[in-house]
Amino acid sequence: MNRDAYPLTRQMQTRWNDNDTFGHMNNAVHYQFFDTIVNCTLDDLGYAQGADHPTRFLVVETGCKYFAEMAYPDSITLGLGIAHLGNSSVRYALGMFRNDDMTPSAEGHFIHVNVDRITKRPVAIRDDLKRELDALRWQSGRMPDT
């Protein structure tokens, strides 16, 4: 997927400690960037998951395919699209683009299930949040297969 395929993008900067002993960004850091764009997006949509919020999203699945190395001091453009929106779950399609590259260095996915804070049972995503997430739905016709 190229950069333009993602409905939402966000710029981030790598940090010195993102590199591992092999001189490139450690694989685990990719997931930190994915987590950041997902949670920043939820915050931007007014869904801050404070300790007193009655529901919260739990991660039930993640995945990532790596295509090219990234390293400090690269600038990263993160792309996000909604690949699937269910009653209580959402699957995010994610891309990481190094500097000005239009093809991804990595593509991933992240699945959240909205649960009741006390019972931990799935509950419906609020209608207003669902509308906001639906506006970010993947439009490309090709879903990432990560």
Side-chain angles (χ1 to χ4, degrees), residues 49-143:
Q49 299 181 57
D52 59 344
H53 200 276
T55 64
R56 67 178 179 179
F57 280 112
L58 293 180
V59 175
V60 297
E61 181 179 308
T62 62
C64 185
K65 289 185 179 181
Y66 305 95
F67 305 113
E69 292 181 342
M70 292 179 277
Y72 174 83
D74 289 335
S75 175
I76 305 244
T77 298
L78 294 164
L80 179 144
I82 302 302
H84 176 78
L85 185 57
N87 183 52
S88 61
S89 67
V90 58
R91 179 183 173 115
Y92 305 91
L94 305 159
M96 295 183 76
F97 300 85
R98 179 181 174 263
N99 300 319
D100 295 327
D101 291 350
M102 291 302 289
T103 57
S105 293
E107 285 183 335
H109 73 271
F110 200 99
I111 300 175
H112 264 158
V113 173
N114 193 41
V115 300
D116 179 90
R117 182 169 296 282
I118 295 169
T119 67
K120 307 295 190 272
R121 300 295 307 155
V123 295
I125 298 169
R126 292 186 338 217
D127 287 340
D128 60 331
L129 178 58
K130 204 167 194 176
R131 281 189 298 277
E132 296 282 351
L133 291 170
D134 194 49
L136 298 172
R137 192 179 294 263
W138 204 267
Q139 301 297 322
S140 72
R142 176 190 172 272
M143 303 305 283

Side-chain angles (χ1 to χ4, degrees), residues 37-58:
I37 191 171
V38 166
N39 284 293
C40 285
T41 300
L42 289 172
D43 285 345
D44 290 348
L45 297 176
Y47 192 78
Q49 299 181 57
D52 59 344
H53 200 276
T55 64
R56 67 178 179 179
F57 280 112
L58 293 180

